[in-house]
Amino acid sequence: MAAYSRGEIAKQRISPKREAEFMCRSELDCDALKVELINRRIGYGVFATQNFPKGSFLVEYVGERIVPKEAEEREKKRKIKHTSYMFYSKWNGLKCIDATNTERKGKYIKDEEVGSPLNNCVMRLLVTENYPMLCLFANRDIKAGEELRYDYGEANLPWRQIHLMIIHLMITHLMSTRTVRRTMKKLLILKQRVKKKLMMIPTLHPPWKVLFIQLIRSRSFLIFQS
């Protein structure tokens, strides 16, 4: 995987846009970005090995340029689901870039919704000499060691649905825990009420006392239900 030195580019003090155009024409990736395995479930990610100030060019999303119909056919034939490397963009109509068969770094950058503290870059379409390029730029300062993440622009992605499900389960668990606590608190209060009323009838005959206890319990149950 060819790479270019960002240090050399920095010395020339060219703009991020010019740097992106240079990189796209040269078909090179930045040497200050490293592809690493996060874990087996998430797969690979891209990490910065040096600081990138806000607005810096990061990497190009490279792949085979195909029409949407061909992209749909490839998705149907894909053996491993939820591993698509297809990125759609609008330029003279809807276009698709399939990065499945490339080892360039851009395809390994993970999704993160806008507004998340982990979201640190944004995809932009640059057109040079009538040739469209998908380029990632830093939308905030990025520190060395930080993983690159940007918003894929789709709300119904499988991993986003899983995150929503986990949040829902956590809220449900929290609410159920609070309900149990409230229930236990009510039971404790009712127990104290019953205990006080029993202390007020020490002279009652046992059968009458049992009947009175049952009456209190039934009334307490009604209070609890209310």
Side-chain angles (χ1 to χ4, degrees):
M1 187 185 297
Y4 73 94
S5 172
R6 189 166 183 275
E8 293 299 320
I9 292 292
K11 290 178 183 178
Q12 299 178 33
R13 297 183 180 181
I14 64 175
S15 68
K17 183 180 178 180
R18 290 273 309 278
E19 181 180 351
E21 291 172 350
F22 166 79
M23 182 281 294
C24 294
R25 287 195 300 267
S26 304
E27 299 183 356
L28 299 174
D29 284 332
C30 178
D31 64 348
L33 299 176
K34 181 171 61 174
V35 178
E36 287 186 356
L37 179 65
I38 299 173
N39 57 48
R40 291 183 179 179
R41 183 178 63 84
I42 297 175
Y44 289 90
V46 179
F47 296 81
T49 59
Q50 67 180 57
N51 297 336
F52 286 86
K54 181 179 179 180
S56 298
F57 167 73
L58 299 169
V59 71
E60 180 190 13
Y61 193 89
V62 181
E64 184 182 356
R65 296 167 185 264
I66 58 177
V67 296
K69 187 176 181 179
E70 174 66 19
E72 291 177 9
E73 292 298 322
R74 292 186 183 187
E75 288 287 7
K76 290 177 183 178
K77 296 176 182 178
R78 193 178 302 280
K79 295 180 180 179
I80 304 175
K81 299 298 182 182
H82 312 321
T83 57
S84 176
Y85 291 105
M86 296 187 183
F87 196 101
Y88 293 85
S89 63
K90 290 183 179 180
W91 185 79
N92 289 342
L94 188 64
K95 298 292 190 299
C96 177
I97 294 181
D98 184 2
T100 303
N101 298 319
T102 181
E103 290 303 317
R104 297 285 294 276
K105 298 176 182 180
K107 82 176 206 178
Y108 296 108
I109 300 177
K110 293 294 181 279
D111 172 58
E112 193 67 43
E113 293 182 78
V114 172
S116 167
L118 297 179
N119 180 294
N120 54 18
C121 46
V122 60
M123 184 72 78
R124 292 176 183 167
L125 178 66
L126 296 183
V127 180
T128 302
E129 297 177 356
N130 206 36
Y131 188 79
M133 302 169 294
L134 292 174
C135 300
L136 274 171
F137 293 85
N139 60 14
R140 62 170 174 80
D141 292 342
I142 299 175
K143 296 180 180 179
E146 193 173 349
E147 183 187 0
L148 303 188
R149 286 182 176 252
Y150 70 101
D151 194 319
Y152 285 3
E154 294 185 38
N156 297 322
L157 295 169
W159 49 89
R160 290 194 184 183
Q161 298 304 313
I162 292 172
H163 289 168
L164 290 174
M165 189 182 298
I166 292 173
I167 292 172
H168 173 73
L169 290 173
M170 290 176 66
I171 292 173
T172 303
H173 174 71
L174 180 61
M175 293 301 293
S176 62
T177 303
R178 288 179 177 176
T179 302
V180 169
R181 287 176 180 173
R182 286 197 297 266
T183 303
M184 295 301 294
K185 188 176 180 180
K186 283 188 176 182
L187 286 174
L188 183 60
I189 293 172
L190 291 175
K191 181 179 178 182
Q192 292 173 348
R193 287 180 182 176
V194 171
K195 188 174 181 180
K196 286 181 181 178
K197 291 189 178 182
L198 286 176
M199 291 177 65
M200 294 169 61
I201 52 167
T203 57
L204 286 178
H205 193 268
W208 289 99
K209 187 172 183 180
V210 171
L211 182 63
F212 189 74
I213 291 171
Q214 291 175 349
L215 178 62
I216 291 174
R217 284 177 176 172
S218 63
R219 290 186 64 188
S220 301
F221 178 75
L222 291 174
I223 293 171
F224 170 70
Q225 290 292 94
S226 62

